[in-house]
Amino acid sequence: MHHTPSLIATIVAGIGLAFILGTLANRLRISPLVGYLLAGVAVGPFTPGYTADQVLAPQLAEIGVILLMFGVGLHFSLKDLMAIRAIVVPGAIVQVAASAALGYGLACMLGWSGIGGIVFGVALSIASTVVLMRALGERHLVDTDRGHIVVGWLVMQDLLMVIVLVLLPPVAAAFGQQGGTGAGMIDYGSLAASLGLTFAKVAGFIGLMLLVGRRAIPMLLHYIAHTGSRELFRLAVLSVALGVAFAASELFDVSFALGAFVAGMTLSESELSQVAAEESLPLRDAFAVLFFVSVGMLFDPTILVRDPVEIGGVLLLVVVGNPLLAFLASRVFGARTDAALLLAAGMAQIGEFSFILADLGIGLGVLSAEARHLILAGSILSILVNPLVFALPAWLPRLRRRRVAPAAAVETRDATPLVPTRLKDHAVLIGYGRVGRLVGQGLAEKGWPLLVIEDAEDAFERARVAPVEAIHGNAADDRILKAANLGDARMLLVAIPNAFEAGQIVEQARAANPSLDIVARAHFDAEVEHLLQHGADIVIMGEREIARSMLERAASNIDPKGVTAIPKPYMPLSRG
């Protein structure tokens, strides 16, 4: 019988089963992440049937982490990080230390003490970057003020984990638990040297990226972009993300995730950052799915029956203790309540760094296999319930509004009071990017009353100084659309390039005002049909308009007896 290579079999089984169970989960109106985790359990060694390669799967998942953090860095500039340093630097340190202390207390109750208890506690204090970034992305919160605080918190946690991973081997050796030797006392001089070396390596890597990478990476991508080859540009983006992450790990002992994040951050101020993010998206999503599959593979379902009390303690610490500590720490250091609530919800799970730390602890002989099973169980169960926890911050403001007298103000995603516009018979423009800005300028010159809705911080700042009224927020949020007064609007122009998000906006707008004239944009025929089905009156496809303009120019130079009419297929498509 022909032997299928382990790599191919692992990818096919992981992605294929994740697709089936993820689709089923979506059909049941629960998070597709549940399906991905169950797919991992199904192909893991603790269930009957096919068993995927447990060495290859985590390595494939690491690629997803690299691409995910690279995308995060593309949307997060150094200026954003410095602006919130007073909150995230001390806050993350306090939260991790307090969470680790609670975890150590739980370990002592379970009979583990010393270095093993500390490792167990730290492993329960670090949130999963993959899970949290997926949650922020699905809710369009990455580019908000709240999202910046959460991402900055994750960066600080990654830095702390780098330090822990470097310090653990000498600490284990000092306690005589590595190879059965040691003095039983910590060599503080050696620890201080290790800590200084770690900081020096991280500082050296970041400094090199800011001085050299900040210029070299954009120059490389600009050169490739001028070749006109989209394939080469996509390959260049992936080479930068993976290459910098690998070099950071090999040369500076920095985690893949942190290396990829810094690489993306150095490119964030380039004009090509948005294009780079779009080009890396398909592979990023595919490999992120493999991360969840690899987590599920490590889970032994029988532990739910063997150790229910211990698992309950771990889950209580992760889902209740960590969020509470994150909320309190962020509030103490100046975060707004809405940002603290979002951060608390994001901290109610653990993931990849917890597994890495647990594996290192087992390799050094300071942690037992039983502790790793508890960490895995806590991770999977917390990831499963995290969507429910994430729903709480959205409900709390509604509950508060029910307890107080109703007001005319509407809350945006950042909980900033927003008074509904008083404009009537106006146009509402969604998006103030390259296309939206041209549309807005044209309507303003004609004297149209115009309201712009923009989510991205930089684009919103441009809209705010323009002669238009602007709302900062995501138009897919029904509260934002309510503030736009669509019931009295004359026209809605959806200028954002994301057809799926645009479809949600169009559908809500059509329900709010059945007679509203809605115009949207698209890049492909399938997107045109999608937007028309959701209620758009006219969908303008960029490629068709380019062809139409070319034909109009050609027609003006053709003899009147020649072809002067513009072919109908190049006209904007409408509902009929």
Side-chain angles (χ1 to χ4, degrees), residues 267-452:
L267 185 60
S268 63
E269 297 178 4
S270 169
E271 296 177 355
L272 293 173
S273 61
Q274 183 62 36
V275 182
E278 293 174 357
E279 293 299 330
S280 62
L281 183 62
L283 276 178
R284 187 173 68 201
D285 288 344
F287 282 102
V289 169
L290 286 176
F291 164 76
F292 295 104
V293 173
S294 68
V295 173
M297 288 172 56
L298 298 173
F299 182 56
D300 181 2
T302 61
I303 195 175
L304 298 174
V305 179
R306 296 198 314 266
D307 302 313
V309 176
E310 291 83 349
I311 292 176
V314 170
L315 196 60
L316 184 66
L317 192 154
V318 172
V319 177
V320 179
N322 288 352
L324 180 60
L325 291 171
F327 177 84
L328 294 175
S330 60
R331 289 290 290 153
V332 166
F333 291 103
R336 296 201 316 261
T337 302
D338 60 314
L341 285 172
L342 179 66
L343 176 65
M347 292 296 111
Q349 43 79 27
I350 56 176
E352 60 273 11
F353 271 117
S354 302
F355 312 145
I356 295 172
L357 186 58
D359 288 340
L360 179 60
I362 291 176
L364 295 173
V366 300
L367 198 66
S368 66
E370 180 185 358
R372 179 168 64 178
H373 282 302
L374 289 179
I375 291 172
L376 289 172
S379 172
I380 291 180
L381 293 177
S382 64
I383 290 174
L384 290 176
V385 303
N386 193 243
L388 300 177
V389 179
F390 244 104
L392 293 179
W395 279 100
L396 289 177
R398 301 181 189 180
L399 295 176
R400 286 200 300 268
R401 287 199 296 271
R402 290 178 182 176
R403 292 196 296 266
V404 300
V410 179
E411 289 193 1
T412 65
R413 283 188 180 274
D414 288 326
T416 303
L418 177 66
V419 178
T421 181
R422 295 184 179 181
L423 293 177
K424 292 186 178 181
D425 199 29
H426 59 293
V428 178
L429 174 62
I430 311 297
Y432 206 70
R434 291 176 300 175
V435 175
R437 189 161 65 251
L438 294 174
V439 174
Q441 292 171 353
L443 293 178
E445 290 174 359
K446 294 180 180 297
W448 270 52
L450 178 63
L451 173 68
V452 174

Side-chain angles (χ1 to χ4, degrees), residues 174-220:
F175 272 91
Q177 296 190 24
Q178 185 178 21
T181 62
M185 296 291 291
I186 298 179
D187 184 350
Y188 290 102
S190 176
L191 287 182
S194 296
L195 186 61
L197 181 60
T198 298
F199 277 118
K201 288 180 178 180
V202 173
F205 168 67
I206 295 177
L208 181 64
M209 291 300 297
L210 292 179
L211 292 176
V212 180
R214 198 172 185 178
R215 295 176 175 83
I217 293 176
M219 287 177 58
L220 171 65

Side-chain angles (χ1 to χ4, degrees), residues 217-260:
I217 293 176
M219 287 177 58
L220 171 65
L221 293 184
H222 275 282
Y223 172 77
I224 298 300
H226 289 157
T227 66
S229 173
R230 186 173 183 179
E231 179 181 346
L232 283 178
F233 183 82
R234 184 182 294 116
L235 190 60
V237 171
L238 295 176
S239 297
V240 168
L242 298 174
V244 172
F246 181 77
S249 176
E250 291 295 314
L251 301 179
F252 296 92
D253 289 330
V254 174
S255 69
F256 287 132
L258 183 60

